[in-house]
Amino acid sequence: MPPSSRDAGVRAQLIDRRNYSEPHDVIPPTPEDYAMRTFFGMILGALLLVCGVYVYDSMQTSSVANGQVAQDTRTIVNWDVAARDWNLLKARAHEEWTRVAAK
């Protein structure tokens, strides 16, 4: 039995109907998109690492979490030194920015 014109119309509508819910279906990703995703992933990974170490260290040195043993445990990061180095880096970046902006 040959297909009717109604069946052909329905079939054409089904073929033409696509799910454009995924962004890569509409616009294919470029190499720049992959590079940006990689860069974003590296930044996100570094932030998650620092946050994880901070939480771990704060639990190790908390007297509430560990009682009297908190004095004997060592942290992964010396946060006093890290804060001092971060402040020195910010001050140097600010000095360099003002030097460059003054030109």
Side-chain angles (χ1 to χ4, degrees):
M1 175 174 197
S4 67
S5 62
R6 180 177 176 273
D7 291 338
V10 170
R11 197 172 306 120
Q13 285 177 351
L14 291 176
I15 291 171
D16 288 340
R17 186 179 299 164
R18 295 182 184 142
N19 182 9
Y20 288 112
S21 61
E22 296 294 325
H24 58 79
D25 289 339
V26 178
I27 300 172
T30 62
E32 291 84 13
D33 293 336
Y34 290 119
M36 192 65 189
R37 288 179 186 175
T38 302
F39 181 69
F40 180 71
M42 288 179 185
I43 297 297
L44 185 62
L47 288 173
L48 286 173
L49 175 69
V50 169
C51 290
V53 169
Y54 180 77
V55 168
Y56 177 81
D57 280 350
S58 66
M59 293 301 289
Q60 289 296 328
T61 58
S62 172
S63 60
V64 174
N66 294 330
Q68 296 299 326
V69 186
Q71 303 297 329
D72 297 333
T73 59
R74 296 189 60 176
T75 60
I76 295 174
V77 176
N78 188 345
W79 293 102
D80 296 331
V81 174
R84 187 190 71 218
D85 290 345
W86 176 249
N87 289 332
L88 288 173
L89 177 69
K90 288 193 308 187
R92 183 171 178 193
H94 181 69
E95 290 171 4
E96 290 295 321
W97 176 256
T98 55
R99 185 180 64 83
V100 169
K103 286 185 179 182

